[in-house]
Amino acid sequence: MRTAAQNARLALLLEVAGTPKPGNVDRHREYPDLRFEHFLAGAVGAEDGFEHASAGGAVGASFERAIEGMSHQSGGNTQFGAVLLLTPLVKAAVDSERLTSEAATAVVDATTVPDAVAFYRAFEHVDVAVDEPPEGMDELDVRRGGEAAPYLREQELTLADIMEQSADRDGIAAEWTGGFERTFGAADRLQEYQRTEDCPVTDTAAAVFLELLAERVDTFVQTQHDHETAMDVRDRAQAVRAGEESVESFADELVEREINPGTTADITAGALFVALERGLEV
């Protein structure tokens, strides 16, 4: 039987192996400087952080350790958002009899100032695409890394507080503050696909990815490009689901245009972990 840390690593591997996921690296599509193998290595490297969380380690320290391990490949940032989503879920899976939204929320609510400091330090290991901080919040710019520690301590800001500050513009922060609603909902869909469809988990992961992409604007696309581009990607995903466009052509086009719906991929990885913890068979 796999441990929670092993399921987290497997979730990252299954997510990147899902094909096609428009705009994402998958088995058939890569970017010039970001390849399929980088994601495989990143998933393996992150497991030490997941093991730390499984053994009772703090969320922030576990996350930083996972990101440091993830960074030990030549592609740079592969799964920062997915690891941020997975770390409290791994801890919740170990701390509770059954992994639920309530259990994950309890982990978030228990985060501390040292967790926030470790979260900021994690940005020193990889380059992460982030928005400029809102006016008057320069002290909380995550690009400051560990230099933000004195301010975080002075203001007594926990990691949950930091996520709350970003939830209106970051899809992963919104999951942290919203009971991981989309993550658990997508996990239910993955399990339903396994009950009703005779296909590999990687195919169902790709199908759920497309459903998520069609439902809501991807905040990573919005950060990398702009709101209009993110809206267009969402609308095009809806057209693919309606049979009006080819998913393969859409996937090729987004890679060519370097439009990567990374937040949707991160939530798919989180959903795979929840489903694996609940008995999804691979």
Side-chain angles (χ1 to χ4, degrees):
M1 184 174 179
R2 289 185 301 270
T3 66
Q6 290 171 335
N7 273 339
R9 179 180 67 174
L10 180 57
L12 291 176
L13 293 170
L14 289 171
E15 186 282 315
V16 72
T19 306
K21 302 187 315 298
N24 278 197
V25 169
D26 62 24
R27 297 197 309 275
H28 302 154
R29 295 167 185 84
E30 298 180 327
Y31 287 95
D33 299 323
L34 193 59
R35 302 190 299 271
F36 182 69
E37 65 191 56
H38 293 146
F39 282 83
L40 302 183
V44 172
E47 187 173 356
D48 182 55
F50 298 143
E51 291 282 5
H52 190 258
S54 294
V59 170
S62 300
F63 172 69
E64 185 188 3
R65 185 176 293 198
I67 293 302
E68 182 180 10
M70 180 208 74
S71 71
H72 293 163
Q73 36 75 30
S74 59
N77 175 24
T78 50
Q79 293 124 322
F80 191 96
V83 172
L84 180 57
L85 187 61
L86 284 167
T87 303
L89 293 174
V90 168
K91 192 166 181 62
V94 173
D95 290 349
S96 57
E97 291 185 5
R98 176 174 169 79
L99 179 55
T100 63
S101 171
E102 292 76 16
T105 297
V107 170
V108 170
D109 291 343
T111 58
T112 64
V113 174
D115 288 324
V117 172
F119 168 73
Y120 271 75
R121 283 200 306 262
F123 284 84
E124 298 176 359
H125 298 295
V126 288
D127 290 327
V128 182
V130 295
D131 284 324
E132 292 292 328
E135 186 175 351
M137 293 180 61
D138 290 345
E139 295 286 353
L140 289 176
D141 188 342
V142 292
R143 292 170 295 188
R144 297 185 64 208
E147 292 180 2
Y151 182 79
L152 295 170
R153 295 188 181 106
E154 176 188 331
Q155 299 297 316
E156 298 183 346
L157 294 171
T158 70
L159 187 46
D161 294 330
I162 298 301
M163 293 297 112
E164 189 70 45
Q165 298 273 7
S166 305
D168 62 338
R169 60 188 184 279
D170 183 274
I172 302 306
E175 286 297 285
W176 266 62
T177 61
F180 300 84
E181 178 183 5
R182 298 187 79 202
T183 301
F184 280 90
D188 290 341
R189 295 184 217 177
L190 286 166
Q191 292 183 279
E192 181 62 24
Y193 271 115
Q194 185 159 89
R195 284 192 291 268
T196 60
E197 305 289 338
D198 182 21
C199 60
V201 172
T202 49
D203 288 357
T204 61
V208 168
F209 171 93
L210 188 63
E211 291 176 10
L212 291 168
L213 190 61
E215 288 171 358
R216 198 172 299 180
V217 163
D218 186 284
T219 55
F220 188 70
V221 172
Q222 188 163 271
T223 295
Q224 276 197 316
H225 300 275
D226 51 49
H227 183 66
E228 287 186 3
T229 301
M231 290 282 287
D232 180 64
V233 169
R234 184 203 63 184
D235 294 346
R236 295 278 300 282
Q238 292 174 357
V240 169
R241 294 204 66 225
E244 299 168 2
E245 284 198 50
S246 160
V247 66
E248 296 286 349
S249 297
F250 184 41
D252 291 338
E253 179 191 335
L254 289 193
V255 170
E256 183 177 347
R257 294 170 61 192
E258 297 187 354
I259 298 174
N260 178 2
T263 300
T264 305
D266 297 338
I267 294 173
T268 302
L272 281 162
F273 172 73
V274 172
L276 288 167
E277 283 291 307
R278 291 180 169 181
L280 184 73
E281 295 182 358
V282 178

